[in-house]
Amino acid sequence: MILPIYLYGHPVLRKISPDITPDFPGLKDLVENMKATMYASDGIGIAAPQVGVNARIVYIDASVLADTFPELAESKYVLINPHIEVLEDGEKISREEGCLSLPGIHEPVSRIEKIRINYVDEQFQPHEEIVSGYLARVMQHECDHLDALLFIDHLSPIRKQLIKGKLNSILKGKVKCDYRTKGYKNNK
Ligand code: NI
C-alpha cells in the first residue's frame, strides 16, 4: 500500500524514533508499505517517520544511481534499529541531497562518507558493516530522520536563509508534489 509522505513541518519528523522489537505490530506490512511508497515517489531511501511512524526502520534502494556511483549497485537494505558511527578518518565531501519530506529543495550537504553501521535485518539478525561513498551518505541521511534530523539542519545559516521561502511554502501546504503527502497544515 502506498502511504502519504509526511512533509517538513509535521511533528512526527522531529521526534526521535526508538529501537523496535520483533513483536512490533504490523512490522512486515510497514516495511512492504515503505518500499511501495518509496518507489512510487522515486526516492532512493525512506525512513519510517516519513510515513508517520516513529520507529527505527529504514529502507534504501539507490541502485538507480549506480551508473554514477558504482558502490550503489548493491544498495538494497532494510535497516532495522540502525546505528551509525561516523569514522573520523574519512574526508568531508559536499554533495547535493534532496528529501521526499522536503519537495523542491536540493542543497549541497557536507558529510564524511565513511561510516560503521550496526543494524538488524528483518529476521533480527545483527549486522555490522563499514560503508563508504554515496551509500554511506544515503544511510546517514536516512538515519538522521530516525534521530529527528533533516538534511537542512546541516546547512550553513546563509544557505538556510536562502531556502526559507521554499520551507515556508511547504509549511503552508503550497507545494506541488507528484506523490501523496501529509503536511502540518494541508493534511491531505
Ligand atoms: Ni529524507
Side-chain angles (χ1 to χ4, degrees):
M1 188 169 58
I2 296 168
L3 305 170
I5 300 273
Y6 284 57
L7 296 183
Y8 170 76
H10 198 289
V12 75
L13 297 175
R14 292 304 195 179
K15 274 188 205 145
I16 291 187
S17 295
D19 280 347
I20 61 164
T21 52
D23 60 358
F24 186 83
L27 176 59
K28 212 173 165 226
D29 285 344
L30 175 59
V31 171
E32 288 314 307
N33 292 344
M34 284 171 63
K35 290 180 186 178
T37 304
M38 190 195 84
Y39 290 120
S41 49
D42 289 329
I44 57 170
I46 191 166
Q50 293 183 279
V51 294
V53 181
N54 279 123
R56 223 168 164 84
I57 308 165
V58 159
Y59 179 63
I60 292 171
D61 179 2
S63 53
V64 70
L65 299 179
D67 282 352
T68 318
F69 303 101
E71 68 269 27
L72 297 178
E74 305 286 328
S75 64
K76 268 190 200 182
Y77 283 86
V78 175
L79 303 172
I80 294 175
N81 301 342
H83 292 275
I84 281 176
E85 187 190 336
V86 175
L87 299 177
E88 291 298 337
D89 56 346
E91 184 193 344
K92 264 202 172 179
I93 295 169
S94 186
R95 285 193 203 284
E96 194 167 272
E97 293 188 20
C99 181
L100 295 174
S101 296
L102 289 153
I105 298 179
H106 299 272
E107 287 290 324
V109 178
S110 197
R111 294 187 194 268
I112 289 170
E113 291 186 346
K114 191 175 182 193
I115 59 166
R116 178 184 294 120
I117 184 164
N118 285 280
Y119 64 97
V120 297
D121 58 30
E122 286 165 285
Q123 285 72 45
F124 279 76
Q125 295 302 304
H127 297 265
E128 180 178 286
E129 288 183 36
I130 305 284
V131 179
S132 52
Y134 202 91
L135 181 56
R137 172 177 298 271
V138 177
M139 286 177 168
Q140 288 178 80
H141 175 117
E142 298 310 330
C143 290
D144 272 357
H145 280 296
L146 306 178
D147 295 326
L149 293 170
L150 298 169
F151 82 84
I152 53 169
D153 301 336
H154 297 291
L155 303 181
S156 69
I158 294 168
R159 298 297 318 176
K160 258 186 212 165
Q161 191 61 36
L162 288 170
I163 60 166
K164 218 172 170 186
K166 285 182 180 177
L167 290 175
N168 281 333
S169 297
I170 299 174
L171 288 178
K172 288 176 187 159
K174 284 183 185 164
V175 70
K176 260 195 170 177
C177 241
D178 294 339
Y179 44 89
R180 266 176 75 209
T181 60
K182 198 175 170 80
Y184 176 59
K185 276 208 162 167
N186 63 347
N187 245 25
K188 60 186 178 188

